[in-house]
Amino acid sequence: EGKFALAHGGTILLDEIGDMPAVLQAKLLRVLQERVYEKLGSNVTFRTECRVITATHRDLGLLVKEGLFREDLYYRINTFPIFLPPLRQRKEDIPLLTDRFIAQFSRELGKQITGVSRNAMKALMDYHWPGNVRELKNCLERAAIVTDGNLIRSSHLIINATEGGMANSFRITVDLDHPDTSLENITGEVLKKTLDLCGGNKSRAAEALNVDRKMFYRRG
């Protein structure tokens, strides 16, 4: 069965509609206007009644002006617009989302993770999250995997500080709550995390930190 057949009498969510090819836009417009469709390879017309919700990260109004999105379809789906601000503009949601994701990963990994440390939460709150909730979820999933205790600390977080997601510069956090914190340990932790973020490439990691490449060899 097709998606609209399955959604009959219910709700269908069309995600990232701004990336929909023009040929599909025309077909979707017909379904929305006439509430009918044909199955692939069939000339039998079926009727559908469902609530349609669309989502996109793109500016559809701008795409219409650029000729990349049908104007008639835009006005057809724009009946009740809801704007969801990026995560950086609603940081009060970060602790709530963090609790939810930690509970999820704790179950999935079979661990007893109860929360995050104060410094870890500060790091999460200070970051601008260009990848929004998906990036936060991925960050916490990595932290949940590597932690061997019941608390996620700042040392477990790997946060990419670049808008485009390229690892040319980093934001690295260290765990000042740890009882063994020392300049030597912090230096080692920064070197290790940078090397991990650079895919094990010592030359690139040294360039990112503006240090001699030999530092990575002296520490193994």
Side-chain angles (χ1 to χ4, degrees), residues 103-186:
Q104 174 187 339
F105 297 136
S106 182
R107 291 192 304 269
E108 293 177 354
L109 298 171
K111 294 184 175 182
Q112 298 296 322
I113 306 173
T114 58
V116 301
S117 70
R118 181 181 56 192
N119 284 338
M121 180 56 71
K122 184 178 186 305
L124 295 174
M125 294 294 290
D126 288 345
Y127 185 52
H128 59 287
W129 301 109
N132 290 300
V133 177
R134 287 189 182 94
E135 185 181 6
L136 173 63
K137 183 178 181 180
N138 290 338
C139 176
L140 291 172
E141 183 175 15
R142 286 195 301 264
I145 291 172
V146 300
T147 183
D148 55 1
N150 60 0
L151 199 65
I152 289 178
R153 301 183 181 277
S154 54
S155 59
H156 300 136
L157 301 176
I158 300 177
I159 300 178
N160 188 357
T162 57
E163 285 286 344
M166 298 299 292
N168 293 320
S169 62
F170 313 105
R171 172 177 181 145
I172 295 177
T173 58
V174 294
D175 185 10
L176 299 179
D177 295 330
H178 199 279
D180 294 333
T181 296
S182 66
L183 180 59
E184 179 72 13
N185 290 341
I186 290 175

